[in-house]
Amino acid sequence: MDWMKIVAAMAVIMFIVFLFPRARDMMENSPKGTSADWMSFIIPIVVIVLFVMLLIQLV
């Protein structure tokens, strides 16, 4: 095995060991979304989907 692959595998393992507990803590303590937050996400997505459908119809 090449030594670069071993170093890369060790780096990936270190990232998982150090970042996973912090990511889990951030998920548990993050603010929850309200319905207004979800609507501000859904409306642009629907507009983009409709625009793409329009572009497909024009081809």
Side-chain angles (χ1 to χ4, degrees):
M1 215 179 200
D2 191 22
W3 65 275
M4 289 293 288
K5 291 180 182 179
I6 295 171
V7 172
M10 288 173 38
V12 168
I13 291 171
M14 286 176 45
F15 284 139
I16 291 171
V17 167
F18 287 115
L19 293 180
F20 182 72
R22 180 66 184 136
R24 187 178 57 204
D25 183 55
M26 288 177 8
M27 292 292 289
E28 291 172 354
N29 297 324
S30 64
K32 304 300 179 222
T34 63
S35 62
D37 294 334
W38 282 108
M39 286 305 291
S40 66
F41 168 75
I42 290 174
I43 291 174
I45 297 298
V46 169
V47 170
I48 291 170
V49 167
L50 291 174
F51 180 69
V52 169
M53 289 174 57
L54 173 70
L55 290 177
I56 291 172
Q57 291 295 323
L58 290 176
V59 172

